[in-house]
Each structure stands twice: as C-alpha cells, then as structure tokens.
Amino acid sequence: DFKDLVELYPKKEGASKKAFALYKAFFSRERRYFKRNDDRATNVFSAVEGYRRSCEDQEQRFIKSLSRFLEEIDPDQEVTEIVTVFGARKTS
C-alpha cells in the first residue's frame, strides 16, 4: 500500500525511510484492529488525493515532502471527500 501512496503523492522525489516509518506507525498488525486500519488507510489515501488535487498548479518546490505531510495529518480524521476505500483484506 505504501508504494501506491508514494505514486499518488504529488511530489515525485521518492520515499524516505522516515515517510515509511510514519506511514507504518498508523497501522496495527493485531487482527482486532483491521477495521480501524482500513478506516485509517481510507483517510490517509483520501487526504493525499485531496492534497494532490490542490497542488496541481503549484511548483514542485512549494509542495510538502511526503514525510512532512504524514507528520501533519491525523489518520483518524475522516476526510470529507472519500477517494479510495479500503476494506478487502489481502490474503497471503
């Protein structure tokens, strides 16, 4: 999922280890939190999509880095415009 988030993000500089650590900290590996994880993924991806849309006419140097963006968002805050919905658990 993180690779998809990086592809969606407007600043194409690659992902830092810090950004991955911030993203990973949003989610729990415990089974009882899977629903919360899905809700958080929906919120994070929707927030990134909204930010990407707001940056369409901006120069790259004015767009936040992915790690800065992840530091500033709350994964539990619902986004008004849901863009991506998670819910189907991948089976491995």
Side-chain angles (χ1 to χ4, degrees):
D1 293 344
F2 183 71
K3 288 179 182 179
D4 295 337
L5 186 77
V6 171
E7 288 295 316
L8 183 62
Y9 199 74
K11 196 168 193 175
K12 303 295 184 196
E13 64 184 25
S16 67
K17 290 181 182 180
K18 181 179 179 182
F20 179 68
L22 289 165
Y23 178 78
K24 195 169 113 176
F26 290 152
F27 306 103
S28 174
R29 295 178 60 88
E30 292 184 42
R31 185 177 224 29
R32 64 184 171 160
Y33 294 117
F34 281 175
K35 172 67 173 118
R36 184 183 75 176
N37 287 348
D38 291 340
D39 292 343
R40 284 183 165 190
T42 298
N43 294 339
V44 169
F45 273 79
S46 296
V48 167
E49 176 65 24
Y51 184 65
R52 185 182 68 77
R53 289 180 183 178
S54 72
C55 293
E56 287 178 353
D57 296 328
Q58 286 187 355
E59 292 180 41
Q60 284 283 335
R61 63 187 176 135
F62 295 119
I63 299 173
K64 297 175 189 177
S65 68
L66 178 57
S67 59
R68 170 65 68 191
F69 182 82
L70 292 175
E71 285 175 335
E72 295 176 355
I73 67 168
D74 177 1
D76 293 318
Q77 180 179 349
E78 289 187 36
V79 178
T80 53
E81 183 181 348
I82 301 294
V83 178
T84 305
V85 177
F86 285 80
R89 300 305 311 167
K90 295 179 181 175
T91 57
S92 49

